[in-house]
Amino acid sequence: NAGVTQTPKFRVLKTGQSMTLLCAQDMNHEYMYWYRQDPGMGLRLIHYSVGEGTTAKGEVPDGYNVSRLKKQNFLLGLESAAPSQTSVYFCASSLLGASYNEQFFGPGTRLTVL
Amino acid sequence: SQQGEEDPQALSIQEGENATMNCSYKTSINNLQWYRQNSGRGLVHLILIRSNEREKHSGRLRVTLDTSKKSSSLLITASRAADTASYFCATIISSGSARQLTFGSGTQLTVLP
């Protein structure tokens, strides 16, 4: 039981390049989330999903897109990376909504945009 | 602006001492959760306290919630060097989406051996 895994662990992009971050969970959770964490700050929600085929915007969705084609996977895309997107990205999942359950986090992806 | 704010931002104590961290929030909540983050790692859930609860225990952790003051505290008793980490409170606001947690900026705890 691997829990929540993220790929890749590190990535360096040039401004304008695109990339996709992959999150996978093997706990059969319905809800999945993407957060970013900047130095000295807490996590901010980018997008989330309440089930396969559904996505919704969080607090800071601009510049990102997501897809949940399979229940176990949640992809975060950057179409045209900007230096302001330099951050550590965390994926999380939960069985039910946050009103009921804790969230389980992946180890993070450190992204640098030059 | 963030819903939850931890205080202090940084705390340094000796092994064996107790550590207390506080969290204040702005709007009515459904529940409040505490998470720990070791350096370079993801967050790990510690404890969840619901708005109708006042105190909860889990091992060496004790969490209190005062909804009238919109505040919570996390007490770690008999601290160990392995407790060194950042601690975050997170809230579910009652009027918003039940699926969103809002995190504070964290307390960096250092436990000296």
Side-chain angles (χ1 to χ4, degrees):
Chain A
N1 194 336
V4 180
T5 58
Q6 292 182 231
T7 311
K9 289 186 170 52
F10 303 94
R11 187 71 186 270
V12 178
L13 291 179
K14 294 182 179 179
T15 296
Q17 288 185 319
S18 63
M19 78 163 293
T20 299
L21 282 67
L22 172 63
C23 176
Q25 52 93 6
D26 61 1
M27 296 175 283
N28 202 33
H29 284 173
E30 290 294 334
Y31 293 73
M32 296 187 74
Y33 315 81
W34 275 108
Y35 294 91
R36 60 177 288 173
Q37 184 178 35
D38 298 299
M41 295 183 69
L43 276 70
R44 291 184 292 169
L45 183 64
I46 304 171
H47 285 282
Y48 63 98
S49 168
V50 302
E52 182 178 322
T54 71
T55 63
K57 294 180 179 180
E59 181 186 355
V60 289
D62 294 342
Y64 305 95
N65 58 75
V66 288
S67 64
R68 184 105 180 262
L69 298 180
K70 293 182 179 180
K71 184 177 183 178
Q72 63 267 34
N73 295 338
F74 195 29
L75 278 64
L76 177 71
L78 286 73
E79 290 186 350
S80 180
S84 61
Q85 294 178 305
T86 293
S87 189
V88 181
Y89 291 86
F90 289 97
C91 176
S93 71
S94 62
L95 181 61
L96 298 173
S99 294
Y100 306 98
N101 293 126
E102 69 269 33
Q103 294 183 8
F104 293 81
F105 283 81
T109 295
R110 187 173 295 274
L111 174 65
T112 301
V113 182
L114 303 175
Chain B
S1 61
Q2 291 177 307
Q3 160 75 332
E5 290 295 336
E6 291 87 348
D7 172 64
Q9 289 187 337
L11 179 62
S12 184
I13 59 173
Q14 294 293 135
E15 205 165 25
E17 293 181 337
N18 295 342
T20 299
M21 289 158 271
N22 302 297
C23 171
S24 59
Y25 56 91
K26 298 175 182 176
T27 61
S28 296
I29 60 170
N30 180 294
N31 69 52
L32 187 145
Q33 303 180 27
W34 284 92
Y35 287 80
R36 184 188 74 229
Q37 184 181 33
N38 291 90
S39 181
R41 308 290 291 272
L43 277 70
V44 174
H45 180 263
L46 294 176
I47 199 163
L48 181 155
I49 186 166
R50 302 198 182 280
S51 58
N52 61 353
E53 296 177 308
R54 292 295 168 260
E55 188 171 312
K56 205 162 183 180
H57 297 255
S58 177
R60 293 185 296 112
L61 305 180
R62 172 177 169 253
V63 169
T64 62
L65 180 63
D66 187 335
T67 53
S68 66
K69 295 181 179 179
K70 292 187 171 58
S71 67
S72 174
S73 68
L74 171 66
L75 168 67
I76 304 174
T77 60
S79 63
R80 306 165 181 169
D83 294 328
T84 294
S86 292
Y87 292 82
F88 296 89
C89 69
T91 55
I92 307 293
I93 58 176
S94 300
S95 59
S97 166
R99 303 171 187 92
Q100 295 190 36
L101 274 176
T102 302
F103 288 84
S105 53
T107 292
Q108 173 62 53
L109 173 66
T110 302
V111 181
L112 303 170

